[in-house]
Amino acid sequence: MTLRIQVQQQDFSVASEYELLRQEARCGAVVTFSGLVRELTETQLLRMTLEHYPGMTEQALIQIATEAQQRWQLGTVTIIHRVGTLLPNEQIVFVGVASAHRAAGFAAAEFIMDYLKNRAPFWKKEHTSNGEYWVAAKVSDHVALQRWE
Amino acid sequence: MTLRIQVQQQDFSVASEYELLRQEARCGAVVTFSGLVRELTETQLLRMTLEHYPGMTEQALIQIATEAQQRWQLGTVTIIHRVGTLLPNEQIVFVGVASAHRAAGFAAAEFIMDYLKNRAPFWKKEHTSNGEYWVAAKVSDHVALQRWE
Amino acid sequence: MLKILFFAALRERLACANTSLDLQGQVLTARQVLDRLAGQSALWQQHLADAELLCAVNQQLVTLSHPVAAGDELAFFPPVTGG
Amino acid sequence: MLKILFFAALRERLACANTSLDLQGQVLTARQVLDRLAGQSALWQQHLADAELLCAVNQQLVTLSHPVAAGDELAFFPPVTGG
């Protein structure tokens, strides 16, 4: 049971993270989630900036990962979240879970993302060809939490 | 909506597959599942052999991926499954899903694995220090299907 | 002719990967074919009686009530264990 | 002193990233602190009245009924949007 939590400006390598996750001899399943900056439908996204609450962010991610490890039998859990300026198609977040059984891996990875979306102090601002906008929280992200309660 | 299905003896690269999946500008989420040959608890696993039903295998995987694309809004769906001789910690299977929303990606990747485990004609044989054994189907894999019906 | 395939543990137990059956123009169910095959020997009877066996006709999973005719490809195999 | 932080849209609207309050030995709830801050100006009143605001004490999410005292770090911010 290893926890790997990183909040960083620089990009991350899914390939390297996956290699770390697959090393555990007793874990036959690795589930990963990657979140990317995607294009907007109604206007052109120039870049995104990600603000966070230093100190609280890391604690929140550790709490979420620890809670997942208490709920399911997991090997390594990795959470990486970027902050600062991001361009379209850049990577924002990575969650990786190694586990003996796939159901635990899928559940834990989705649980971590659902909690991260609602509890971890990150805020996105979109810089578009029409101006700058703070991203609004989505009702669907609140609803997503309910299944875990 | 792209489908990428491969049944092959040679290993695959999760890094390359991920790079293909993350190219879609409108897909902000990439979920991957990798299944690995894991150690046994009671005896030493020397190697595993994977038999399949050529022709039917590819069709079964295409059907499963197509069904997932009908149920959820997805971008590229990739399924790679190896056959032949595999050593401990080698990669067996890869499922990757790109989607606009993470819930669809998680659901589709798990759906594909659950169906693959029950419907795709692959059979594993474990070669251990105590002899050779065909792997028995797991009740939990049958149960896993029920949630999708 | 009906082409018949066996896979995995079943293939090993029967010591047979594929065989064929002359249906003489008949249409049978997969179960009827299974019964005919089982009549070939005590060994085949024993191993083809497994209620867990799966069946595919022309590379599609079907139930044993599915019809087969000359030119079809019929396969019997144990529950799958890939992934 | 109580250290108070604001983030994201709230920080921009208040044009303030952090401030402090002398509690003079009192223990207040986060809501009482919010009310005091809102009294500073019409602008602050307007933006701190947002019912959606989240609150953290010593870097843990809490409800507005949570007590704070000198030495604590209190933060107010809009719903989070990471991931």
Side-chain angles (χ1 to χ4, degrees):
Chain A
M1 242 181 55
T2 310
L3 215 57
R4 201 172 139 73
I5 307 282
Q6 290 176 206
V7 178
Q8 60 190 45
Q9 295 213 344
Q10 69 269 28
D11 199 8
F12 52 81
S13 159
V14 168
S16 311
E17 295 305 324
Y18 172 69
E19 287 306 315
L20 286 174
L21 288 162
R22 68 170 280 194
Q23 291 317 315
E24 285 163 279
R26 272 165 297 175
C27 286
V30 176
V31 175
T32 76
F33 174 85
S34 305
L36 308 161
V37 180
R38 69 173 175 214
E39 287 180 359
L40 298 174
T41 47
E42 282 155 28
T43 178
Q44 195 199 344
L45 181 68
L46 305 175
R47 64 185 190 282
M48 179 177 270
T49 47
L50 256 148
E51 180 171 335
H52 76 127
Y53 181 173
M56 177 172 168
T57 317
E58 293 77 0
Q59 285 186 55
L61 297 181
I62 290 169
Q63 281 170 10
I64 294 167
T66 304
E67 166 106 23
Q69 288 181 323
Q70 284 161 357
R71 288 191 179 217
W72 295 281
Q73 280 240 309
L74 307 175
T76 296
V77 171
T78 303
I79 307 179
I80 304 176
H81 204 298
R82 292 177 67 195
V83 293
T85 301
L86 301 179
L87 299 176
N89 203 37
E90 279 202 74
Q91 303 180 128
I92 306 171
V93 61
F94 176 83
V95 171
V97 176
S99 58
H101 302 290
R102 74 182 181 287
F106 277 114
E110 194 166 14
F111 171 91
I112 289 168
M113 278 307 302
D114 287 346
Y115 271 76
L116 186 156
K117 285 266 181 185
N118 286 281
R119 302 280 169 83
F122 294 101
W123 299 273
K124 284 179 187 146
K125 186 188 233 181
E126 291 170 345
H127 304 255
T128 79
S129 45
N130 291 334
E132 301 181 2
Y133 306 94
W134 287 100
V135 172
K138 285 192 282 182
V139 173
S140 62
D141 284 329
H142 292 285
V143 172
L145 270 196
Q146 293 171 358
R147 107 187 74 171
W148 307 112
E149 282 163 6
Chain B
M1 240 180 61
T2 310
L3 215 59
R4 203 173 136 72
I5 307 284
Q6 289 175 205
V7 179
Q8 61 190 43
Q9 294 212 346
Q10 68 270 29
D11 198 7
F12 52 81
S13 158
V14 168
S16 310
E17 296 305 325
Y18 172 69
E19 286 306 316
L20 286 175
L21 288 162
R22 68 170 280 196
Q23 291 317 314
E24 284 164 280
R26 274 165 295 176
C27 286
V30 176
V31 175
T32 76
F33 174 85
S34 305
L36 307 161
V37 180
R38 67 172 178 218
E39 286 179 359
L40 299 174
T41 46
E42 281 156 28
T43 178
Q44 195 199 344
L45 180 67
L46 305 175
R47 65 184 188 282
M48 177 176 274
T49 48
L50 254 149
E51 181 170 333
H52 76 127
Y53 181 173
M56 178 173 168
T57 318
E58 293 78 358
Q59 285 186 55
L61 297 181
I62 290 170
Q63 281 170 11
I64 294 166
T66 304
E67 166 107 22
Q69 286 180 324
Q70 284 162 357
R71 287 190 180 219
W72 295 281
Q73 280 239 309
L74 307 175
T76 297
V77 172
T78 303
I79 308 179
I80 304 175
H81 204 297
R82 292 178 68 194
V83 293
T85 301
L86 301 179
L87 300 175
N89 202 37
E90 279 202 75
Q91 303 180 126
I92 305 171
V93 61
F94 175 82
V95 170
V97 177
S99 58
H101 302 290
R102 73 181 184 286
F106 277 115
E110 194 166 15
F111 170 91
I112 289 168
M113 279 307 302
D114 287 347
Y115 271 77
L116 187 157
K117 284 267 182 186
N118 286 280
R119 301 281 168 84
F122 295 102
W123 299 273
K124 282 180 187 147
K125 186 187 229 180
E126 291 171 346
H127 303 255
T128 78
S129 47
N130 291 335
E132 299 180 1
Y133 306 94
W134 287 98
V135 171
K138 285 193 282 182
V139 173
S140 61
D141 284 329
H142 292 286
V143 172
L145 271 196
Q146 293 170 359
R147 107 187 73 172
W148 307 110
E149 284 163 5
Chain C
M1 295 295 277
L2 174 71
K3 185 176 171 188
I4 302 167
L5 308 175
F6 305 110
F7 288 97
L10 182 63
R11 172 181 55 71
E12 283 189 354
R13 287 176 192 139
L14 301 180
C16 177
N18 64 77
T19 181
S20 60
L21 203 65
D22 184 350
L23 297 181
Q24 300 178 316
Q26 281 186 297
V27 174
L28 300 183
T29 65
R31 174 171 298 288
Q32 286 173 314
V33 174
L34 196 63
D35 289 343
R36 279 210 198 167
L37 295 170
Q40 295 193 348
S41 77
L43 180 83
W44 282 49
Q45 176 117 45
Q46 180 191 340
H47 294 303
L48 293 175
D50 184 350
E52 299 249 286
L53 283 188
L54 298 179
C55 167
V57 172
N58 298 330
Q59 308 189 347
Q60 298 285 329
L61 272 184
V62 295
T63 61
L64 288 174
S65 61
H66 199 279
V68 290
D72 283 342
E73 179 175 299
L74 175 61
F76 295 106
F77 43 79
V80 302
T81 56
Chain D
M1 295 296 276
L2 174 70
K3 185 177 173 190
I4 303 169
L5 307 175
F6 305 109
F7 289 97
L10 183 63
R11 173 180 53 70
E12 283 189 354
R13 288 176 191 139
L14 300 180
C16 177
N18 64 77
T19 181
S20 62
L21 204 64
D22 186 350
L23 297 180
Q24 300 179 313
Q26 283 187 295
V27 174
L28 299 184
T29 65
R31 174 172 299 286
Q32 287 173 315
V33 174
L34 195 63
D35 289 343
R36 279 210 200 171
L37 294 170
Q40 296 195 347
S41 76
L43 181 83
W44 282 49
Q45 175 119 43
Q46 180 191 341
H47 295 302
L48 293 175
D50 184 350
E52 299 249 284
L53 282 187
L54 298 178
C55 167
V57 171
N58 298 330
Q59 308 189 346
Q60 298 284 330
L61 273 183
V62 295
T63 61
L64 288 174
S65 61
H66 198 280
V68 290
D72 284 341
E73 178 175 300
L74 174 62
F76 295 106
F77 42 78
V80 301
T81 57

